């Protein structure tokens, strides 16, 4: 079940990442109607439209601090679901987040935040998440690794 969920999330993430990656790039082969001046594109042109707001949550991050949905107000939050002992899809998800962290470094923490929630909270305590974050060179100001009780994570 964990692999299936992670696969679905990875497909979603790839779609979101692709749209961010192409948002600021110029398309070769298209004429520039501005007389040669590059058009300035806004990275996040409009808010994502959803039918329901994200449910409220409160988890503990890799530093043992409580983090809730309110901590991300006014920012775009990309979220994935991982577990530190995963050897198949999770490393690919983490690599994509590392790519986003590198590509969007000037926006990280201010406009964009990365959130990795463990789906194995019984093993992935803050200490394990902190070591995992360090191993993967995650910027702690811009990339949160979260855990909670199994009931909270399942919800």
């Amino acid at each position: 079940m964990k692999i299936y969920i992670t696969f679905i999330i990875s497909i979603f993430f790839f779609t979101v990442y692709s749209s961010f990656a192409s948002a600021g790039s110029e398309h070769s082969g298209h004429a520039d109607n501005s007389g040669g001046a590059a058009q300035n594109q806004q990275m996040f042109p409009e808010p994502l439209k959803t039918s329901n707001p994200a449910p409220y949550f409160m988890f503990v991050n890799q530093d043992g601090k409580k983090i809730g949905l309110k901590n991300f107000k006014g920012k775009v939050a990309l979220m994935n679901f991982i577990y530190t002992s995963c050897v198949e899809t999770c490393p690919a998800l983490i690599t994509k987040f590392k790519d986003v962290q590198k590509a969007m470094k000037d926006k990280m923490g201010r406009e964009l935040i990365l959130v990795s929630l463990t789906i194995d909270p019984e093993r992935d305590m803050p200490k394990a998440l902190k070591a995992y974050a360090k191993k993967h060179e995650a910027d702690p100001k811009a990339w949160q690794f979260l855990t909670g009780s199994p009931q909270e994570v399942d919800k």
Side-chain angles (χ1 to χ4, degrees):
M1 182 67 173
K2 288 181 182 179
I3 292 172
Y4 178 74
I5 291 170
T6 306
F7 178 72
I8 296 298
I9 298 304
S10 66
I11 290 172
F12 171 76
F13 175 70
F14 180 74
T15 303
V16 170
Y17 175 72
S18 296
S19 66
F20 278 121
S22 65
S25 65
E26 303 239 344
H27 300 287
S28 61
H30 288 127
D32 183 357
N33 295 331
S34 64
Q39 290 183 332
N40 218 357
Q41 286 186 343
Q42 185 178 0
M43 183 55 69
F44 307 113
E46 61 183 89
L48 299 174
K49 293 180 172 84
T50 61
S51 58
N52 296 312
Y56 178 78
F57 64 80
M58 182 67 71
F59 292 112
V60 176
N61 75 359
Q62 69 270 23
D63 295 318
K65 295 168 70 177
K66 290 191 179 219
I67 300 291
L69 190 59
K70 66 181 180 183
N71 294 95
F72 309 132
K73 187 174 177 112
K75 299 174 184 164
V76 172
L78 293 181
M79 183 176 214
N80 67 13
F81 299 88
I82 55 107
Y83 55 106
T84 60
S85 61
C86 174
V87 294
E88 292 185 17
T89 56
C90 300
L93 292 172
I94 294 299
T95 297
K96 288 293 183 187
F97 265 27
K98 283 173 68 174
D99 292 346
V100 170
Q101 180 180 254
K102 183 178 178 183
M104 306 292 284
K105 64 183 171 191
D106 58 328
K107 306 218 182 291
M108 295 303 304
R110 291 187 348 260
E111 296 178 42
L112 177 64
I113 194 109
L114 303 176
V115 181
S116 293
L117 176 62
T118 182
I119 56 175
D120 188 8
E122 293 172 343
R123 284 187 238 162
D124 291 341
M125 298 296 182
K127 185 177 180 180
L129 292 174
K130 187 167 185 122
Y132 190 76
K134 185 175 180 178
K135 174 183 172 184
H136 293 288
E137 302 171 346
D139 177 355
K141 294 176 185 165
W143 190 348
Q144 297 293 307
F145 288 79
L146 304 178
T147 191
S149 72
Q151 297 79 16
E152 292 169 321
V153 170
D154 285 347
K155 183 179 173 185

